[in-house]
Amino acid sequence: MIWNEERECMSRDQMADLQGKQLVKLVKYMYRNVGYYRKKMRKLGLEPGDIRGIEDLSRLPFTTREDLQGAYPSGMFAVPMSKLVRYGTTENLTGEELIVGYTQNDLNLWSECMARSVAMAGLGKNDVIQIAFNQENWVEGLGALNGAERVGAAVIPTPADKKSDLMTAIKKFHVTGIMGTPCHLMHLMRLIEKKQISNNLHLKAAICGGTFWTENTRKMIQDMIGIRMYDIYGMNELMGLGVAAECKCQNGMHVQEDYFITEVLDTETLITVVDGVLGEIVFTTLQKQGIPLIRFRTMNMTRINHVKCECGRTTARIDRICDRTEDVIFIRGNSVFLLSIENALSKLREIKASYVVYIRKEHGLDIVDVCIESSRTSELLKSDDGESVKCCVAAAVGKVIGMKPNVYIRDSGTALKYNRRKVMFIDERRY
């Protein structure tokens, strides 16, 4: 089902024309109403009239979280605070709280984006959807609720921290769809597995966002519960969940391009990369009123694809957002997500250990050392002096980083002492 076929299936030329016209209006609106942005434009010698279409986007300055924090509180809004009808909170990179605000128009826009996202997952007016977000994610929950109601579905808000209520609601109301975090789905999977009730449920789809998750997580949950899991993306600064969402093809998230211009940029040069190349994703909000943003740097990494999807939508698709720019390292010229290494090691459940991954230089080459830390090293060394364990770890990490790491076994120490995480990274290189 395509919720808004006119917008989601328009030609690339039509989309570029629409985005260009909206961009021109946005620049004038920002220049007139947002002081920090007007200052940036003047510093570059730009006037609103210099922006005539989408082709001039790269001339415009970036917006960062630091800009918003510096303008906080009233200087970040483009409307009088009396025009705001809802507030939410988010944190910047230093952990400082930032308040975001929405006009009624912003909430209508969000509802439309969420309705499209719900429809992409094959859910509609004949479905019963459980909205299950924790208290700290409940702003996302409100957006999800509005979108589900917009498509005509029956909605059951069930805070995910009330775990005893989750399964009760699913069974009692014959829930067919769930919107929540991947952690919520993992909890349900374990509960369903424990009670062996998967055949008695009506679940068919789950829309998951709010935290990072992997394709392995999707496969495990889909196989266990027998449903389809769909990815969704958003940030409170931009709007919330629904900026992009996955369709039935599960091959990238469709960006709501009539509301958001999307760029993927090289992290060093900040120049647009070609489709399929990893880069930082940057958004321009075309119709937001409360906190409009031009070229907002998300610090999130992904790839983009403009090829028409098999579902019929023509909007650009982005890969799952795996991590942030500060959590991407380069090993012998290849970009590697730290999360990918962590996931690979976490899957080795038969090895009861923590890991410290060291990245260093030796004769000008990047070297990776993986230390297996355990309070029971004698068990790991028991059969063949630990060689089979080392080979298993080397294979898992090597597949991610594209080279064979050195693997060692030692008593517990570094990982447990510093952060109690299963995997700890130490980059010892000096450039």
Side-chain angles (χ1 to χ4, degrees):
M1 172 183 173
I2 299 178
W3 177 252
N4 191 334
E5 191 168 346
E6 180 182 354
R7 288 297 185 89
E8 297 178 74
C9 300
M10 64 170 53
S11 70
R12 297 307 308 171
D13 288 341
Q14 288 176 314
M15 183 64 75
D17 182 63
L18 175 64
Q19 289 183 330
K21 290 176 180 176
Q22 291 178 337
L23 179 64
V24 170
K25 293 179 181 178
L26 173 66
V27 171
K28 292 177 181 177
Y29 179 75
M30 290 278 281
Y31 191 88
R32 183 172 63 249
N33 296 300
V34 183
Y36 72 82
Y37 184 73
R38 181 166 57 248
K39 183 177 179 181
K40 280 192 169 192
M41 282 192 66
R42 286 175 175 172
K43 189 173 181 179
L44 293 173
L46 282 175
E47 295 289 334
D50 296 329
I51 307 303
R52 299 182 177 86
I54 194 74
E55 66 277 4
D56 294 320
L57 179 64
S58 62
R59 300 179 63 187
L60 294 167
F62 293 103
T63 306
T64 65
R65 285 189 178 87
E66 288 74 20
D67 290 328
L68 298 180
Q69 194 68 42
Y72 177 80
S74 59
M76 61 189 288
F77 298 117
V79 297
M81 297 183 76
S82 61
K83 297 288 186 182
L84 301 174
V85 298
R86 185 186 295 174
Y87 290 97
T89 59
T90 186
E91 290 185 352
N92 71 354
L93 293 175
T94 62
E96 296 176 277
E97 188 178 72
L98 186 68
I99 294 178
V100 294
Y102 307 85
T103 66
Q104 187 58 55
N105 175 78
D106 295 339
L107 295 182
N108 294 341
L109 181 154
W110 191 2
S111 176
E112 168 67 14
C113 290
M114 286 303 301
R116 296 180 190 180
S117 302
V118 171
M120 285 185 203
L123 299 172
K125 63 181 181 180
N126 296 321
D127 288 290
V128 180
I129 301 177
Q130 182 183 74
I131 310 297
F133 285 92
N134 291 320
Q135 185 175 353
E136 60 268 24
N137 299 111
W138 197 242
V139 170
E140 307 288 14
L142 289 172
L145 187 150
N146 292 339
E149 289 182 337
R150 188 160 182 156
V151 300
V155 178
I156 306 173
T158 313
D161 45 358
K162 295 184 178 180
K163 299 187 184 301
S164 61
D165 297 340
L166 295 175
M167 187 56 66
T168 300
I170 289 173
K171 291 190 293 185
K172 181 185 293 185
F173 298 102
H174 294 173
V175 169
T176 56
I178 299 175
M179 299 180 72
T181 65
C183 292
H184 167 56
L185 265 294
M186 289 290 288
H187 169 74
L188 281 182
M189 182 193 73
R190 295 188 188 101
L191 209 57
I192 292 169
E193 182 182 21
K194 182 179 180 180
K195 297 188 176 185
Q196 297 181 337
I197 56 174
S198 59
N199 294 331
N200 298 323
L201 301 179
H202 295 76
L203 291 173
K204 62 181 183 181
I207 302 172
C208 290
T211 58
F212 297 125
W213 55 293
T214 68
E215 195 62 29
N216 289 325
T217 300
R218 189 213 301 265
K219 186 177 186 307
M220 179 170 54
I221 294 175
Q222 287 189 161
D223 291 347
M224 181 61 64
I225 307 181
I227 65 172
R228 301 271 286 177
M229 275 182 77
Y230 298 93
D231 207 355
I232 190 169
Y233 173 75
M235 299 176 69
N236 285 345
E237 293 91 338
L238 297 172
M239 177 184 70
L241 291 179
V243 173
E246 207 171 30
C247 70
K248 63 181 181 180
C249 298
Q250 294 181 316
N251 189 24
M253 293 179 284
H254 290 272
V255 180
Q256 316 293 358
E257 286 193 281
D258 50 331
Y259 295 137
F260 302 93
I261 298 177
T262 310
E263 303 171 85
V264 176
L265 308 179
D266 182 279
T267 55
E268 298 293 329
T269 65
L270 297 182
I271 294 174
T272 303
V273 299
V274 298
D275 282 16
V277 174
L278 187 69
E280 179 186 347
I281 190 164
V282 173
F283 287 99
T284 296
T285 63
L286 291 172
Q287 295 191 41
K288 274 194 71 179
Q289 294 177 340
I291 307 179
L293 299 170
I294 292 180
R295 308 193 80 194
F296 178 69
R297 295 193 60 183
T298 66
M299 306 298 286
N300 289 159
M301 301 291 287
T302 189
R303 298 174 177 85
I304 196 166
N305 174 14
H306 289 88
V307 175
K308 182 179 178 180
C309 183
E310 291 181 9
C311 73
R313 293 175 180 85
T314 55
T315 46
R317 286 169 287 156
I318 57 174
D319 288 354
R320 176 177 293 123
I321 307 293
C322 296
D323 234 317
R324 304 178 58 77
T325 54
E326 60 265 35
D327 290 327
V328 175
I329 58 173
F330 288 86
I331 300 176
R332 298 192 182 183
N334 296 320
S335 57
V336 177
F337 284 115
L338 297 185
L339 183 65
S340 298
I341 300 176
E342 187 167 350
N343 285 335
L345 290 171
S346 296
K347 288 196 303 182
L348 304 178
R349 295 185 180 88
E350 68 279 6
I351 303 176
K352 308 298 183 183
S354 296
Y355 305 88
V356 183
V357 180
Y358 296 89
I359 305 100
R360 58 187 175 85
K361 283 281 191 185
E362 187 175 289
H363 306 301
L365 286 176
D366 294 328
I367 303 296
V368 177
D369 300 323
V370 181
C371 291
I372 305 172
E373 294 191 347
S374 175
S375 58
R376 299 176 293 181
T377 53
S378 58
E379 293 183 18
L380 298 178
L381 298 169
K382 193 173 182 179
S383 58
D384 55 357
D385 203 27
E387 287 305 312
S388 60
V389 172
K390 292 178 185 178
C391 288
C392 186
V393 170
V397 175
K399 187 175 181 180
V400 175
I401 66 177
M403 58 176 281
K404 185 178 180 179
N406 304 311
V407 181
Y408 308 93
I409 297 176
R410 69 185 185 192
D411 291 332
S412 293
T414 307
L416 185 63
K417 177 181 178 181
Y418 285 102
N419 60 4
R420 297 181 178 272
R421 292 184 62 179
K422 187 173 182 64
V423 184
M424 180 177 177
F425 298 93
I426 300 176
D427 195 338
E428 298 179 332
R429 293 172 295 185
R430 295 293 182 267
Y431 293 97

